[in-house]
Amino acid sequence: MMQYKILFILLTQLLITKVYSQKEPLKVGVVGLTHTHVHWIFGSEPRGDIKIVGIVEPNTELARQYADQYKFSMTLVYNSIEEMLAKTKPEAVTAFGTIFEHLEVVQAAAPKGIHVMVEKPLAVNMEHAVKMKELAKKHNIHLLTNYETTWYPTTHKAYELAKKQNAIGDIRKIMVHDGHKGPKKIGVNKEFLDWLTDPVQNGGGAEIDFGCYGANLLTWFMNGKRPNSVTAISQQLQPENNPKVNDESIILLQYDKTVAVIQGSWNWPIGRKDMEIYGVKGVIYADNRHDLRMRISEGYDGFDEQAMKLEEREAPFDDPFALLAAVVKNNVQLEAYDLNALDNNMIVVEILDAARKSAELNKTIHLKK
């Protein structure tokens, strides 16, 4: 009888510990404030999934601007990632500096068993990406990449209709369009503009900044299959605003039975993040975050259209930092080639590297099998 009582007590304690750990916010460090997507994590913290325990930003003036806006103490701010990790001991860190700095963040965090989420794309090139992957695997950490379109309900509804329900038949073509008028034209702050238009710190121009969205989505839709070939053109249409990088990019991907077009641009007159998926029976238009249309072919040019206005997804699949917390706490396990997953984003960087090379050499790049 005593053994059963002890077993009952142990099981009860285990259950309490599990429930408690699920409710406790994930302790997160924020590395860098020069990427303005950092507003996202400050806005997300009040949900209760995470608690920001430390911030790395050597630019004191910039840090103070965020402190004033979000009412946090400057005692949270450190000059180096090493100091922040030692003093605050976060469970995970999020990178909101330059893309080039993503490797440095993983190099500092991974050996301490600290998980990492970076803003898109994963890395500036395959050399950095391979090093990051090796560190993540060696030290058994999660290394996630965050894209805005991952959180669009339309992204996931389009996938459900096209892939799970086969609503439009076999997919033959996917077109992804992302971008805006250009960083300077839309008024990004100086700290962001300085590195976003730098070929080293950003890895390129619009082809990196916005081409990565399409590469990420296509890798997911294609079940992790790499394209057979990559053909790209890039151009600089705003030399006065983007003197060091290209601001126009078109990337063509060829798969066994599907072709894809990625248009990442800083020259759209109207900002956009949308996708078109063409099957043998119809087409799905993911027009924006909430609006989706599906057309089923009727005759030559006729169609039956269904329009949908979608609600936000359920937690934690509606917010990057809620998902980060769920993954780290083992409440969610990412599927293979998930939009956030490392295996997907290694292929993204491979595609972007091939696109850069293709545009420079003016030739199609065939990926090695």
Side-chain angles (χ1 to χ4, degrees), residues 146-188:
N146 179 39
Y147 296 78
E148 179 185 337
T149 46
T150 298
W151 315 103
Y152 283 17
T154 48
T155 296
H156 297 273
K157 187 65 175 179
Y159 186 91
E160 177 189 331
L161 291 168
K163 298 284 291 181
K164 296 182 178 180
Q165 297 183 20
N166 195 33
I168 57 171
D170 292 344
I171 297 173
R172 290 292 178 257
K173 180 187 294 185
I174 300 179
M175 303 181 69
V176 187
H177 318 102
D178 293 285
H180 47 52
K181 297 175 183 178
K184 192 168 185 179
K185 282 188 175 182
I186 66 170
V188 305

Side-chain angles (χ1 to χ4, degrees), residues 51-106:
K51 178 177 176 59
I52 298 172
V53 296
I55 298 167
V56 180
E57 182 47 66
N59 184 334
T60 304
E61 182 181 347
L62 179 63
R64 197 173 299 281
Q65 291 174 15
Y66 279 97
D68 291 343
Q69 181 174 356
Y70 291 102
K71 312 302 180 188
F72 61 79
S73 170
M74 285 293 289
T75 60
L76 283 179
V77 181
Y78 298 86
N79 286 324
S80 73
I81 185 171
E82 291 79 13
E83 183 183 12
M84 187 272 286
L85 295 180
K87 295 283 183 65
T88 68
K89 294 180 170 51
E91 298 168 88
V93 295
T94 57
F96 288 100
T98 76
I99 311 304
F100 189 88
E101 292 167 339
H102 287 178
L103 173 58
E104 298 171 19
V105 174
V106 176

Side-chain angles (χ1 to χ4, degrees), residues 281-339:
K281 298 192 301 184
V283 56
I284 296 168
Y285 301 98
D287 291 321
N288 50 50
R289 187 183 186 102
H290 295 289
D291 297 304
L292 181 142
R293 295 170 292 139
M294 181 170 67
R295 292 178 175 179
I296 301 301
S297 172
E298 293 181 349
Y300 173 69
D301 59 359
F303 55 86
D304 176 61
E305 180 173 282
Q306 180 183 4
M308 308 175 196
K309 175 75 73 171
L310 303 176
E311 300 293 330
E312 289 294 307
R313 303 183 75 210
E314 293 185 1
F317 302 103
D318 60 336
D319 178 86
F321 314 107
L323 183 70
L324 173 63
V327 169
V328 170
K329 291 175 180 289
N330 294 317
N331 296 327
V332 169
Q333 184 173 356
L334 297 180
E335 295 182 1
Y337 301 103
D338 181 272
L339 293 166

Side-chain angles (χ1 to χ4, degrees), residues 13 15 18 47 61 66 68 95 97 100 114 121 161 170 179 202 205 207 228 241 245 251 276 296 324 360-361:
Q13 289 176 338
L15 180 61
K18 184 176 181 181
R47 289 171 54 120
E61 182 181 347
Y66 279 97
D68 291 343
F100 189 88
I114 297 170
L161 291 168
D170 292 344
N202 188 52
E207 71 269 34
N228 299 326
N241 293 327
V245 293
I251 304 171
E276 302 169 8
I296 301 301
L324 173 63
E360 289 170 2
L361 300 178

